[in-house]
Amino acid sequence: QVQLVESGGGLVQTGGSLRLSCAASGSMFRMSAWGWYRQAPGKQRELVAAIGNGGSTNYVDFVKGRFTISRDNAKNTVYLQMDSLKPEDTAVYSCNTDPFRVPWGQGTQVTVSS
């Protein structure tokens, strides 16, 4: 069974940066598309960035130009570089396949102070 471990979250000021990492166990990593999702308090979880198994990327409009998703197949890891962070980016960030089909990890909390 695939296990996901996210890390890299924290507390930053508006305009700051963070780099999230998600390590996935199992052999299906390189064959799958992956995404970073986030869930803010009182809101549904939403996909914010995705990367295909060939490296193509997609972003929702409100993170375009600020977030960059990447993957390292040798390390079974997907990353999310987040720059120019805003208070509205505050959420728990999780990774999963795109579309999601494996058990969720614990996520990592990102808090952006104004």
Side-chain angles (χ1 to χ4, degrees):
Q1 186 177 11
V2 175
Q3 291 186 322
L4 305 173
V5 180
E6 299 94 342
S7 61
L11 173 63
V12 295
Q13 293 183 334
T14 297
S17 297
L18 286 171
R19 188 191 193 211
L20 307 184
S21 299
C22 170
S25 63
S27 60
M28 48 78 76
F29 181 88
R30 64 180 61 220
M31 297 180 292
S32 300
W34 289 88
W36 278 98
Y37 302 75
R38 73 184 187 188
Q39 187 169 22
K43 296 187 177 180
Q44 289 189 331
R45 182 181 281 131
E46 59 184 349
L47 177 67
V48 298
I51 185 165
N53 56 8
S56 60
T57 58
N58 283 291
Y59 303 91
V60 295
D61 286 345
F62 51 81
V63 306
K64 282 181 180 177
R66 301 190 299 122
F67 291 9
T68 303
I69 189 171
S70 60
R71 62 190 294 164
D72 185 336
N73 289 339
K75 295 182 178 180
N76 277 20
T77 300
V78 61
Y79 304 97
L80 186 68
Q81 176 68 41
M82 305 188 297
D83 299 315
S84 302
L85 283 162
K86 305 175 181 181
E88 51 264 44
D89 294 319
T90 295
V92 175
Y93 285 73
S94 303
C95 70
N96 209 306
T97 54
D98 176 31
F100 68 87
R101 61 179 185 270
V102 301
W104 294 94
Q106 83 286 353
T108 186
Q109 175 71 47
V110 171
T111 303
V112 185
S113 64
S114 58

XYZ file of all heavy atoms in Angstrom:
863
model
N 0.845 -1.186 0.000
C 0.000 0.000 0.000
C 0.883 1.239 0.000
O 1.877 1.295 0.692
C -0.912 0.002 1.222
C -1.933 1.115 1.232
C -2.876 1.037 2.422
O -2.647 0.276 3.348
N -3.932 1.819 2.390
N 0.491 2.231 -0.803
C 1.271 3.456 -0.890
C 1.113 4.265 0.386
O 0.010 4.419 0.910
C 0.812 4.287 -2.103
C 1.540 5.629 -2.132
C 1.053 3.516 -3.385
N 2.225 4.775 0.871
C 2.205 5.701 2.005
C 2.811 7.019 1.573
O 3.822 7.047 0.856
C 2.974 5.112 3.192
C 2.276 3.917 3.836
C 2.976 3.443 5.093
O 4.194 3.436 5.169
N 2.197 3.056 6.089
N 2.196 8.103 2.014
C 2.623 9.447 1.654
C 3.079 10.187 2.903
O 2.375 10.173 3.912
C 1.481 10.210 0.988
C 0.853 9.547 -0.236
C -0.381 10.329 -0.691
C 1.866 9.440 -1.358
N 4.229 10.835 2.808
C 4.750 11.618 3.927
C 5.100 13.003 3.421
O 6.047 13.164 2.639
C 5.978 10.948 4.561
C 6.486 11.810 5.713
C 5.625 9.548 5.052
N 4.332 13.995 3.868
C 4.562 15.378 3.471
C 5.396 16.095 4.538
O 5.286 15.785 5.733
C 3.235 16.133 3.282
C 2.343 15.558 2.206
C 1.308 14.573 2.721
O 1.467 14.054 3.853
O 0.322 14.315 2.001
N 6.192 17.057 4.097
C 6.999 17.841 5.016
C 7.298 19.196 4.396
O 7.058 19.411 3.205
C 8.304 17.119 5.349
O 9.073 16.923 4.178
N 7.818 20.100 5.216
C 8.270 21.387 4.706
C 7.390 22.572 5.051
O 7.731 23.709 4.750
N 6.240 22.315 5.660
C 5.364 23.417 6.017
C 5.916 24.234 7.165
O 6.958 23.903 7.746
N 5.216 25.313 7.491
C 5.653 26.159 8.584
C 4.924 27.478 8.591
O 3.937 27.670 7.879
N 5.446 28.387 9.403
C 4.883 29.734 9.530
C 5.805 30.715 8.813
O 7.006 30.769 9.112
C 4.759 30.104 11.004
C 4.350 31.543 11.323
C 2.951 31.848 10.799
C 4.435 31.790 12.827
N 5.237 31.457 7.866
C 6.016 32.463 7.147
C 5.222 33.753 7.062
O 4.002 33.746 7.224
C 6.392 31.998 5.726
C 7.316 30.799 5.774
C 5.147 31.695 4.905
N 5.911 34.832 6.787
C 5.242 36.111 6.591
C 4.795 36.250 5.141
O 5.290 35.557 4.244
C 6.180 37.257 6.957
C 6.518 37.320 8.436
C 7.386 38.510 8.777
O 8.123 39.024 7.942
N 7.288 38.972 10.012
N 3.872 37.145 4.917
C 3.425 37.452 3.556
C 4.633 37.775 2.682
O 5.513 38.529 3.083
C 2.460 38.641 3.568
O 1.290 38.272 4.316
C 2.041 39.014 2.156
N 4.648 37.161 1.503
C 5.759 37.348 0.585
C 6.872 36.330 0.724
O 7.790 36.291 -0.104
N 6.795 35.502 1.750
C 7.830 34.510 1.983
C 7.687 33.283 1.094
O 6.781 33.195 0.254
N 8.600 32.340 1.301
C 8.632 31.126 0.485
C 8.742 29.887 1.358
O 9.283 29.930 2.462
C 9.842 31.166 -0.456
O 9.762 32.239 -1.377
N 8.236 28.798 0.832
C 8.383 27.488 1.440
C 8.522 26.452 0.333
O 7.992 26.641 -0.768
C 7.166 27.118 2.304
C 7.006 27.805 3.655
C 5.646 27.461 4.245
C 8.114 27.405 4.604
N 9.198 25.367 0.647
C 9.288 24.251 -0.296
C 8.767 23.004 0.388
O 9.344 22.551 1.384
C 10.731 24.026 -0.745
C 10.846 22.999 -1.877
C 12.279 22.607 -2.121
N 12.455 21.874 -3.361
C 13.387 20.955 -3.546
N 14.236 20.672 -2.573
N 13.490 20.335 -4.716
N 7.695 22.474 -0.132
C 7.089 21.273 0.420
C 7.627 20.048 -0.310
O 7.919 20.097 -1.502
C 5.581 21.326 0.277
C 4.867 22.569 0.812
C 3.366 22.412 0.676
C 5.268 22.856 2.244
N 7.717 18.961 0.423
C 8.142 17.680 -0.148
C 7.127 16.615 0.198
O 6.505 16.647 1.257
C 9.502 17.261 0.404
O 10.510 18.195 0.097
N 6.986 15.665 -0.696
C 6.088 14.533 -0.452
C 6.800 13.272 -0.930
O 7.057 13.118 -2.126
C 4.786 14.717 -1.203
S 3.717 13.258 -1.191
N 7.115 12.408 0.011
C 7.755 11.144 -0.312
C 6.705 10.049 -0.361
O 5.887 9.914 0.551
C 8.811 10.809 0.731
N 6.731 9.277 -1.440
C 5.749 8.211 -1.636
C 6.438 6.859 -1.687
O 7.443 6.694 -2.379
C 4.982 8.446 -2.925
N 5.902 5.907 -0.952
C 6.435 4.549 -1.017
C 5.771 3.821 -2.180
O 4.762 4.262 -2.725
C 6.160 3.809 0.297
O 4.765 3.682 0.496
N 6.354 2.696 -2.568
C 5.721 1.890 -3.604
C 6.307 2.128 -4.975
O 7.050 3.075 -5.215
N 5.942 1.253 -5.890
C 6.542 1.252 -7.216
C 5.726 2.003 -8.254
O 6.141 2.093 -9.410
C 6.738 -0.196 -7.682
O 5.480 -0.858 -7.728
N 4.589 2.549 -7.858
C 3.724 3.183 -8.840
C 4.019 4.669 -9.036
O 3.358 5.344 -9.813
C 2.262 2.980 -8.468
C 1.899 3.281 -7.022
S 1.710 5.025 -6.584
C 0.110 5.311 -7.332
N 5.026 5.180 -8.315
C 5.255 6.617 -8.333
C 5.499 7.131 -9.737
O 4.827 8.057 -10.206
C 6.433 6.975 -7.426
C 6.708 8.459 -7.390
C 6.051 9.266 -6.474
C 7.604 9.041 -8.275
C 6.281 10.633 -6.434
C 7.847 10.410 -8.253
C 7.180 11.204 -7.324
N 6.482 6.566 -10.441
C 6.876 7.158 -11.714
C 5.819 6.995 -12.802
O 5.850 7.707 -13.810
C 8.211 6.593 -12.182
C 8.222 5.110 -12.497
C 9.611 4.686 -12.958
N 10.598 4.932 -11.911
C 11.815 5.408 -12.149
N 12.185 5.711 -13.386
N 12.662 5.572 -11.168
N 4.891 6.073 -12.623
C 3.853 5.858 -13.625
C 2.645 6.772 -13.428
O 1.764 6.835 -14.286
C 3.381 4.405 -13.583
C 4.450 3.397 -13.918
S 3.834 1.711 -13.846
C 3.533 1.540 -12.082
N 2.637 7.490 -12.317
C 1.446 8.249 -11.949
C 1.629 9.749 -12.097
O 2.746 10.257 -11.984
C 1.075 7.958 -10.497
O 0.798 6.588 -10.298
N 0.524 10.421 -12.343
C 0.484 11.872 -12.218
C 0.248 12.189 -10.755
O -0.474 11.471 -10.062
C -0.638 12.453 -13.079
N 0.847 13.275 -10.294
C 0.753 13.656 -8.883
C 0.263 15.082 -8.756
O 0.490 15.920 -9.641
C 2.105 13.492 -8.202
C 2.462 12.051 -8.040
C 3.111 11.258 -8.939
C 2.144 11.221 -6.929
N 3.218 9.980 -8.449
C 2.638 9.934 -7.216
C 1.499 11.432 -5.710
C 2.505 8.861 -6.329
C 1.357 10.376 -4.833
C 1.854 9.105 -5.147
N -0.353 15.324 -7.621
C -0.860 16.661 -7.372
C -0.635 17.096 -5.940
O -0.476 16.260 -5.040
N -0.588 18.391 -5.762
C -0.615 18.985 -4.429
C -2.011 19.567 -4.212
O -2.539 20.294 -5.072
C 0.437 20.076 -4.283
C 1.791 19.539 -3.975
C 2.819 19.323 -4.848
C 2.277 19.143 -2.679
N 3.898 18.815 -4.190
C 3.605 18.700 -2.856
C 1.727 19.134 -1.400
C 4.388 18.239 -1.786
C 2.505 18.678 -0.351
C 3.816 18.236 -0.547
N -2.575 19.229 -3.075
C -3.904 19.666 -2.695
C -3.793 20.500 -1.423
O -2.837 20.346 -0.653
C -4.803 18.456 -2.403
C -4.945 17.476 -3.554
C -3.914 16.603 -3.890
C -6.124 17.403 -4.285
C -4.045 15.695 -4.941
C -6.278 16.497 -5.333
C -5.230 15.644 -5.641
O -5.368 14.740 -6.668
N -4.795 21.318 -1.187
C -4.800 22.051 0.075
C -6.220 22.146 0.605
O -7.187 22.139 -0.156
C -4.186 23.437 -0.081
C -5.030 24.468 -0.816
C -4.233 25.760 -0.971
N -5.041 26.844 -1.515
C -4.546 28.022 -1.879
N -3.240 28.258 -1.772
N -5.332 28.956 -2.347
N -6.302 22.224 1.929
C -7.591 22.367 2.594
C -7.473 23.440 3.659
O -6.733 23.269 4.634
C -8.052 21.043 3.207
C -9.460 21.108 3.770
C -10.019 19.748 4.135
O -9.273 18.786 4.362
N -11.337 19.632 4.170
N -8.177 24.528 3.441
C -8.221 25.607 4.414
C -9.350 25.327 5.402
O -10.285 24.582 5.095
C -8.444 26.936 3.701
N -9.282 25.924 6.581
C -10.335 25.701 7.586
C -11.716 26.023 7.030
O -11.928 27.088 6.443
C -9.946 26.659 8.710
C -8.473 26.812 8.582
C -8.208 26.788 7.097
N -12.643 25.091 7.193
C -14.010 25.311 6.754
C -14.239 25.160 5.269
O -15.343 25.415 4.780
N -13.202 24.759 4.536
C -13.319 24.634 3.082
C -13.007 23.205 2.644
O -12.393 22.437 3.362
C -12.397 25.623 2.382
C -12.742 27.079 2.639
C -11.896 27.992 1.781
C -12.284 29.451 1.981
N -11.454 30.357 1.138
N -13.429 22.891 1.429
C -13.127 21.579 0.879
C -11.691 21.527 0.379
O -11.092 22.546 0.021
C -14.097 21.278 -0.268
C -15.521 21.006 0.177
C -16.398 20.496 -0.951
O -16.168 20.816 -2.116
N -17.384 19.680 -0.627
N -11.172 20.318 0.342
C -9.836 20.136 -0.215
C -9.874 20.432 -1.713
O -10.822 20.055 -2.407
C -9.367 18.707 0.037
C -7.963 18.409 -0.465
C -7.604 16.969 -0.177
N -7.217 16.739 1.203
C -7.696 15.764 1.961
N -8.592 14.925 1.477
N -7.269 15.609 3.195
N -8.833 21.108 -2.204
C -8.779 21.462 -3.614
C -7.398 21.187 -4.182
O -6.396 21.313 -3.496
C -9.125 22.949 -3.797
C -8.207 23.909 -3.058
C -8.635 25.365 -3.167
O -9.526 25.675 -3.989
O -8.061 26.201 -2.438
N -7.382 20.818 -5.444
C -6.124 20.587 -6.145
C -5.563 21.933 -6.591
O -6.274 22.723 -7.212
C -6.376 19.696 -7.357
C -5.195 19.402 -8.273
C -4.152 18.549 -7.568
C -5.670 18.703 -9.551
N -4.293 22.192 -6.296
C -3.713 23.477 -6.689
C -2.643 23.329 -7.758
O -2.374 24.282 -8.500
C -3.145 24.251 -5.479
C -4.249 24.566 -4.486
C -2.018 23.495 -4.803
N -2.002 22.156 -7.845
C -0.957 21.966 -8.842
C -0.836 20.484 -9.151
O -1.045 19.647 -8.262
C 0.382 22.502 -8.341
N -0.521 20.162 -10.387
C -0.397 18.764 -10.784
C 0.756 18.609 -11.756
O 1.097 19.545 -12.503
C -1.692 18.275 -11.412
N 1.344 17.411 -11.747
C 2.434 17.119 -12.673
C 2.222 15.725 -13.234
O 1.985 14.771 -12.493
C 3.807 17.270 -11.977
C 4.942 17.084 -12.986
C 3.954 16.329 -10.794
C 6.295 17.567 -12.462
N 2.285 15.611 -14.544
C 2.096 14.329 -15.190
C 3.330 13.453 -15.106
O 4.401 13.896 -14.685
N 3.179 12.189 -15.525
C 4.338 11.299 -15.449
C 5.395 11.674 -16.471
O 6.553 11.255 -16.357
C 3.920 9.832 -15.597
C 3.147 9.551 -16.872
O 3.031 10.418 -17.736
N 2.602 8.352 -16.986
N 5.040 12.527 -17.430
C 6.013 13.031 -18.385
C 6.570 14.387 -18.019
O 7.430 14.934 -18.726
N 6.083 14.943 -16.904
C 6.603 16.227 -16.426
C 5.761 17.437 -16.764
O 6.102 18.556 -16.356
N 4.663 17.248 -17.494
C 3.803 18.396 -17.791
C 3.131 18.869 -16.510
O 2.831 18.066 -15.625
C 2.753 18.021 -18.820
O 1.940 16.966 -18.345
N 2.912 20.164 -16.404
C 2.369 20.738 -15.177
C 1.107 21.548 -15.446
O 0.913 22.084 -16.548
C 3.398 21.643 -14.482
O 3.793 22.684 -15.381
C 4.623 20.845 -14.064
N 0.275 21.636 -14.404
C -0.934 22.449 -14.447
C -1.127 23.087 -13.087
O -0.815 22.473 -12.065
C -2.160 21.608 -14.797
C -2.225 21.272 -16.270
O -2.442 22.135 -17.111
N -2.013 20.005 -16.597
N -1.665 24.311 -13.107
C -1.884 25.058 -11.878
C -3.256 25.717 -11.913
O -3.731 26.122 -12.977
C -0.826 26.149 -11.714
C 0.589 25.651 -11.718
C 1.317 25.567 -12.899
C 1.212 25.265 -10.533
C 2.613 25.101 -12.916
C 2.523 24.806 -10.537
C 3.215 24.719 -11.730
O 4.506 24.255 -11.736
N -3.835 25.868 -10.734
C -5.035 26.695 -10.679
C -4.603 28.147 -10.802
O -3.463 28.510 -10.499
C -5.821 26.470 -9.368
C -6.359 25.053 -9.316
C -4.956 26.752 -8.155
N -5.527 28.978 -11.243
C -5.168 30.355 -11.565
C -4.550 31.099 -10.396
O -3.611 31.891 -10.573
C -6.397 31.115 -12.075
C -6.780 30.713 -13.495
O -5.955 30.071 -14.176
O -7.903 31.043 -13.923
N -5.058 30.875 -9.187
C -4.613 31.705 -8.075
C -3.222 31.333 -7.551
O -2.722 31.980 -6.635
C -5.641 31.721 -6.937
C -6.113 30.370 -6.473
C -5.358 29.628 -5.594
C -7.329 29.868 -6.906
C -5.800 28.384 -5.157
C -7.783 28.632 -6.479
C -7.013 27.883 -5.606
N -2.581 30.326 -8.121
C -1.194 30.029 -7.731
C -0.241 30.133 -8.914
O 0.982 30.038 -8.730
C -1.044 28.643 -7.070
C -1.997 28.501 -5.890
C -1.205 27.507 -8.066
N -0.768 30.348 -10.100
C 0.098 30.459 -11.271
C 1.097 31.589 -11.104
O 0.759 32.682 -10.660
C -0.742 30.706 -12.531
C -1.409 29.462 -13.072
C -2.196 29.776 -14.336
C -2.870 28.518 -14.881
N -3.694 28.805 -16.073
N 2.342 31.297 -11.437
C 3.387 32.291 -11.309
C 3.986 32.385 -9.920
O 4.995 33.058 -9.717
N 3.366 31.718 -8.952
C 3.879 31.741 -7.573
C 4.328 30.368 -7.098
O 5.276 30.259 -6.334
C 2.809 32.278 -6.623
C 2.338 33.670 -6.941
C 1.459 34.233 -5.825
N 0.245 33.452 -5.606
C -0.089 32.884 -4.440
N 0.702 33.007 -3.404
N -1.223 32.203 -4.327
N 3.636 29.322 -7.526
C 3.947 27.953 -7.106
C 4.544 27.180 -8.272
O 4.163 27.373 -9.428
C 2.686 27.228 -6.647
C 2.076 27.721 -5.358
C 2.514 28.878 -4.737
C 1.048 27.006 -4.753
C 1.958 29.320 -3.557
C 0.464 27.435 -3.570
C 0.927 28.601 -2.975
N 5.469 26.278 -7.958
C 6.073 25.417 -8.964
C 6.100 23.989 -8.453
O 6.672 23.722 -7.390
C 7.502 25.866 -9.300
O 7.500 27.227 -9.729
C 8.082 24.993 -10.405
N 5.482 23.089 -9.188
C 5.498 21.681 -8.826
C 6.574 20.962 -9.630
O 6.816 21.284 -10.799
C 4.107 21.035 -9.063
C 4.052 19.620 -8.482
C 3.725 21.051 -10.537
C 2.656 19.012 -8.487
N 7.247 20.020 -8.982
C 8.273 19.237 -9.665
C 8.302 17.839 -9.051
O 7.695 17.601 -8.014
C 9.644 19.916 -9.562
O 10.032 20.047 -8.202
N 9.017 16.954 -9.707
C 9.097 15.590 -9.212
C 10.487 15.024 -9.445
O 11.188 15.424 -10.381
C 8.055 14.706 -9.892
C 8.225 14.574 -11.399
C 7.017 13.880 -12.031
N 6.891 12.487 -11.606
C 5.787 11.766 -11.762
N 4.703 12.314 -12.311
N 5.768 10.502 -11.368
N 10.880 14.080 -8.587
C 12.137 13.370 -8.724
C 11.793 11.898 -8.662
O 11.578 11.349 -7.570
C 13.103 13.775 -7.602
C 14.475 13.153 -7.770
O 14.594 12.104 -8.435
O 15.435 13.700 -7.212
N 11.733 11.250 -9.808
C 11.330 9.849 -9.850
C 12.335 8.931 -9.154
O 11.972 7.883 -8.644
C 11.123 9.398 -11.295
C 9.884 10.000 -11.925
O 8.957 10.449 -11.240
N 9.864 10.041 -13.249
N 13.594 9.321 -9.139
C 14.607 8.503 -8.473
C 14.402 8.482 -6.965
O 14.810 7.531 -6.291
C 16.000 9.020 -8.806
N 13.773 9.529 -6.456
C 13.549 9.630 -5.007
C 12.080 9.413 -4.624
O 11.731 9.547 -3.454
C 14.001 10.999 -4.507
C 15.489 11.244 -4.642
C 15.872 12.614 -4.078
C 17.373 12.848 -4.178
N 17.760 14.180 -3.639
N 11.250 9.098 -5.611
C 9.811 8.940 -5.343
C 9.260 10.143 -4.575
O 8.506 9.998 -3.606
C 9.535 7.653 -4.541
C 9.451 6.425 -5.424
O 9.943 6.423 -6.554
N 8.847 5.370 -4.914
N 9.642 11.326 -5.014
C 9.280 12.532 -4.281
C 8.729 13.590 -5.229
O 9.248 13.770 -6.339
C 10.496 13.094 -3.519
O 10.967 12.097 -2.591
C 10.131 14.345 -2.742
N 7.701 14.269 -4.773
C 7.149 15.401 -5.502
C 7.284 16.632 -4.613
O 7.157 16.544 -3.382
C 5.680 15.137 -5.908
C 4.792 14.919 -4.709
C 5.131 16.257 -6.767
N 7.585 17.755 -5.229
C 7.854 18.992 -4.506
C 6.864 20.079 -4.900
O 6.291 20.053 -5.995
C 9.270 19.491 -4.816
C 10.353 18.494 -4.527
C 10.875 17.683 -5.541
C 10.874 18.358 -3.245
C 11.871 16.765 -5.276
C 11.879 17.442 -2.969
C 12.374 16.646 -3.992
O 13.365 15.742 -3.723
N 6.710 21.038 -4.004
C 5.955 22.239 -4.327
C 6.731 23.437 -3.780
O 6.825 23.613 -2.569
C 4.550 22.198 -3.723
C 3.656 23.367 -4.148
C 3.325 23.275 -5.644
C 2.366 23.396 -3.321
N 7.303 24.206 -4.696
C 7.963 25.447 -4.325
C 6.918 26.541 -4.309
O 6.245 26.779 -5.327
C 9.069 25.778 -5.332
C 9.759 27.106 -5.076
C 10.580 27.110 -3.810
O 11.266 26.137 -3.496
N 10.514 28.209 -3.056
N 6.771 27.193 -3.180
C 5.762 28.230 -3.022
C 6.448 29.552 -2.727
O 7.140 29.682 -1.717
C 4.795 27.865 -1.890
C 4.140 26.502 -2.062
S 2.837 26.191 -0.862
C 3.791 26.216 0.656
N 6.268 30.501 -3.604
C 6.848 31.837 -3.458
C 5.737 32.882 -3.380
O 4.589 32.608 -3.719
C 7.766 32.141 -4.646
C 8.916 31.167 -4.764
O 9.549 30.859 -3.733
O 9.211 30.708 -5.885
N 6.102 34.067 -2.935
C 5.139 35.173 -2.828
C 3.876 34.732 -2.098
O 2.755 34.987 -2.550
C 4.787 35.698 -4.221
O 5.943 36.135 -4.903
N 4.068 34.088 -0.982
C 2.929 33.539 -0.246
C 2.030 34.639 0.301
O 2.495 35.731 0.668
C 3.425 32.639 0.887
C 3.903 31.262 0.425
C 4.769 30.593 1.484
C 2.713 30.379 0.079
N 0.751 34.314 0.343
C -0.269 35.241 0.813
C -1.029 34.609 1.986
O -1.069 33.385 2.101
C -1.269 35.528 -0.318
C -0.648 36.041 -1.592
C -1.700 36.188 -2.689
C -1.090 36.678 -3.982
N -2.107 36.841 -5.057
N -1.645 35.410 2.820
C -2.422 34.833 3.936
C -3.478 33.839 3.469
O -3.742 32.848 4.181
C -3.051 36.067 4.576
C -2.074 37.164 4.316
C -1.546 36.873 2.928
N -4.047 34.049 2.314
C -5.072 33.132 1.817
C -4.506 31.785 1.363
O -5.265 30.876 1.027
C -5.872 33.769 0.672
C -5.039 34.362 -0.436
C -4.817 35.867 -0.252
O -4.524 36.307 0.884
O -4.917 36.592 -1.279
N -3.179 31.655 1.356
C -2.560 30.355 1.076
C -2.510 29.471 2.311
O -2.110 28.300 2.226
C -1.140 30.545 0.536
C -1.107 31.224 -0.817
O -1.955 30.894 -1.675
O -0.224 32.077 -1.025
N -2.883 30.021 3.455
C -2.876 29.243 4.693
C -3.802 28.036 4.574
O -4.984 28.183 4.257
C -3.299 30.121 5.875
O -2.318 31.145 6.071
C -3.448 29.294 7.150
N -3.248 26.848 4.812
C -4.010 25.604 4.659
C -3.123 24.428 5.046
O -1.915 24.590 5.239
C -4.482 25.435 3.217
N -3.734 23.266 5.126
C -2.979 22.026 5.211
C -2.769 21.534 3.777
O -3.728 21.367 3.022
C -3.710 20.961 6.032
C -2.942 19.635 5.995
C -3.894 21.430 7.474
N -1.516 21.305 3.430
C -1.160 20.876 2.081
C -0.846 19.381 2.098
O -0.101 18.894 2.964
C 0.031 21.663 1.571
C -0.317 23.079 1.179
C -0.595 24.040 2.148
C -0.394 23.451 -0.161
C -0.938 25.333 1.788
C -0.735 24.745 -0.535
C -1.004 25.677 0.451
O -1.353 26.968 0.091
N -1.414 18.689 1.124
C -1.221 17.243 1.010
C -0.938 16.890 -0.440
O -1.358 17.606 -1.349
C -2.477 16.491 1.466
O -2.846 16.816 2.788
N -0.269 15.786 -0.634
C -0.064 15.307 -1.995
C -0.853 14.014 -2.193
O -1.224 13.327 -1.244
C 1.409 15.071 -2.299
S 2.115 13.667 -1.426
N -1.109 13.710 -3.434
C -1.780 12.457 -3.800
C -1.661 12.319 -5.296
O -1.203 13.226 -5.997
C -3.248 12.467 -3.377
C -3.785 11.077 -3.076
O -3.697 10.177 -3.900
N -4.306 10.899 -1.878
N -2.063 11.190 -5.812
C -2.109 11.050 -7.256
C -3.169 12.000 -7.808
O -4.016 12.514 -7.074
C -2.446 9.613 -7.650
O -3.657 9.208 -6.994
C -1.327 8.653 -7.256
N -3.126 12.234 -9.098
C -4.115 13.087 -9.752
C -4.799 12.274 -10.838
O -4.162 11.972 -11.847
C -3.444 14.330 -10.351
C -4.425 15.190 -11.120
O -5.627 15.225 -10.748
O -4.007 15.830 -12.097
N -6.063 11.902 -10.661
C -6.924 12.156 -9.505
C -6.518 11.303 -8.308
O -5.814 10.299 -8.467
C -8.315 11.765 -10.017
C -8.046 10.727 -11.051
C -6.753 11.163 -11.724
N -6.948 11.706 -7.122
C -6.463 11.016 -5.920
C -7.086 9.633 -5.805
O -8.258 9.417 -6.060
C -6.722 11.852 -4.669
C -8.170 12.025 -4.282
C -8.812 11.100 -3.475
C -8.876 13.142 -4.711
C -10.129 11.280 -3.107
C -10.190 13.328 -4.351
C -10.823 12.394 -3.549
N -6.233 8.669 -5.460
C -6.717 7.295 -5.330
C -5.947 6.476 -4.308
O -6.126 5.266 -4.208
C -6.693 6.577 -6.676
C -5.335 6.459 -7.314
C -5.408 5.702 -8.634
N -4.092 5.477 -9.194
C -3.487 6.314 -10.015
N -4.083 7.425 -10.371
N -2.287 6.028 -10.486
N -5.048 7.128 -3.557
C -4.321 6.411 -2.518
C -4.656 7.062 -1.182
O -5.141 8.193 -1.132
C -2.803 6.429 -2.781
C -2.508 5.778 -4.126
C -2.233 7.833 -2.723
N -4.396 6.352 -0.077
C -4.704 6.929 1.245
C -3.935 8.226 1.468
O -2.751 8.329 1.116
C -4.250 5.830 2.224
C -4.349 4.570 1.434
C -3.940 4.942 0.041
N -4.598 9.197 2.070
C -3.971 10.481 2.332
C -2.930 10.364 3.438
O -3.082 9.583 4.381
C -5.011 11.517 2.736
C -5.959 11.855 1.644
C -7.186 11.305 1.399
C -5.753 12.823 0.596
N -7.752 11.876 0.280
C -6.901 12.802 -0.226
C -4.713 13.705 0.287
C -7.027 13.632 -1.349
C -4.842 14.528 -0.827
C -5.986 14.489 -1.628
N -1.879 11.144 3.326
C -0.912 11.286 4.399
C -1.431 12.272 5.429
O -2.590 12.698 5.392
N -0.527 12.673 6.319
C -0.940 13.572 7.395
C -0.998 15.028 6.939
O -1.590 15.870 7.600
C 0.008 13.442 8.604
C 1.289 14.260 8.509
C 2.301 13.687 7.534
O 2.129 12.601 6.994
N 3.375 14.424 7.298
N -0.398 15.315 5.804
C -0.350 16.693 5.317
C 0.664 17.515 6.084
O 1.271 17.065 7.067
N 0.861 18.748 5.617
C 1.776 19.659 6.293
C 1.122 21.035 6.348
O 0.571 21.520 5.356
C 3.151 19.690 5.590
O 4.068 20.468 6.349
C 3.072 20.224 4.166
N 1.164 21.644 7.518
C 0.478 22.920 7.737
C 1.322 24.081 7.215
O 2.513 24.183 7.542
C 0.199 23.128 9.225
C -0.403 24.481 9.572
C -1.838 24.615 9.106
O -2.653 23.712 9.315
N -2.166 25.745 8.470
N 0.695 24.918 6.430
C 1.308 26.157 5.963
C 0.484 27.311 6.510
O -0.724 27.377 6.293
C 1.357 26.212 4.428
C 1.806 27.596 3.954
C 2.282 25.139 3.887
N 1.158 28.206 7.225
C 0.491 29.367 7.788
C 1.235 30.618 7.334
O 2.443 30.732 7.548
C 0.450 29.309 9.317
O -0.204 28.102 9.730
C -0.308 30.500 9.879
N 0.494 31.525 6.702
C 1.085 32.759 6.201
C 0.503 33.916 7.001
O -0.711 34.146 6.982
C 0.815 32.945 4.703
C 1.548 34.184 4.178
C 1.235 31.708 3.926
N 1.350 34.624 7.684
C 0.908 35.737 8.509
C 0.935 37.036 7.710
O 1.779 37.227 6.833
C 1.772 35.870 9.747
O 3.094 36.172 9.385
N 0.014 37.915 8.044
C -0.062 39.196 7.324
C 0.782 40.252 7.997
O 1.320 40.044 9.080
C -1.512 39.651 7.256
O -2.057 39.769 8.559
